């Protein structure tokens, strides 16, 4: 499959508490042909969105207004859903069992996010 088509029609969960970043991510994903689920600004919102339907990938801010989104990462990993962590804290903020997940350091270019998602979804 052409990696540039990897996001076409794929439901991608966006978990991000900063509204401006969430909008930029949403725009980039829509431009890449993805269907955006969310954005969720809290762990509870993200888990509820995951309960409502299948997601094919996710973009996960690890720190949501001081609350770690580890429960969301755990559920994504348990379901085998690929995800990218977007954080200002680097890989050091990730629990040991999620250290293999791609990490984008904020601020990042939305095109870099799309390329990373295409790689893990392709």
């Amino acid at each position: 499959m052409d990696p540039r088509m990897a996001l076409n029609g794929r439901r991608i969960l966006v978990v991000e508490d900063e509204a401006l970043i969430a909008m930029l991510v949403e725009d980039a994903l829509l431009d890449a042909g993805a269907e955006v689920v969310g954005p969720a600004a809290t762990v509870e919102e993200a888990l509820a969105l995951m309960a409502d339907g299948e997601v094919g990938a996710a973009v996960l801010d690890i720190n949501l207004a001081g609350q770690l989104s580890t429960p969301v990462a755990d559920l994504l990993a348990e379901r085998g859903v690929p995800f990218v962590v977007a954080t200002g804290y680097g890989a050091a903020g990730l629990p040991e069992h999620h250290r293999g997940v791609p990490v984008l350091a904020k601020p990042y270019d939305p095109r870099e996010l799309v390329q990373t998602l295409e790689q893990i979804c392709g």
Side-chain angles (χ1 to χ4, degrees):
M1 173 192 273
D2 182 343
R4 290 169 303 181
M5 300 301 290
L7 303 186
N8 212 18
R10 188 178 289 258
R11 291 173 46 87
I12 299 180
L13 174 66
V14 176
V15 182
E16 173 59 65
D17 63 336
E18 294 181 46
L20 185 59
I21 294 173
M23 288 188 303
L24 289 170
V25 168
E26 188 173 5
D27 287 347
L29 294 175
L30 291 172
D31 288 347
E35 180 183 332
V36 175
V37 179
T42 66
V43 168
E44 293 75 18
E45 284 179 31
L47 294 175
L49 287 169
M50 289 179 69
D52 285 348
E54 288 296 312
V55 295
V59 179
L60 184 61
D61 182 354
I62 207 71
N63 185 332
L64 302 170
Q67 180 186 33
L68 291 180
S69 60
T70 311
V72 180
D74 292 344
L75 185 57
L76 290 165
E78 184 181 302
R79 291 185 177 177
V81 176
F83 64 98
V84 173
V85 170
T87 180
Y89 301 96
L94 286 176
E96 190 66 40
H97 57 285
H98 292 304
R99 291 275 163 90
V101 173
V103 175
L104 292 177
K106 288 181 177 179
Y108 56 85
D109 185 327
R111 290 173 300 199
E112 184 183 4
L113 170 67
V114 168
Q115 289 171 346
T116 303
L117 281 167
E118 287 172 343
Q119 289 168 0
I120 65 174
C121 293

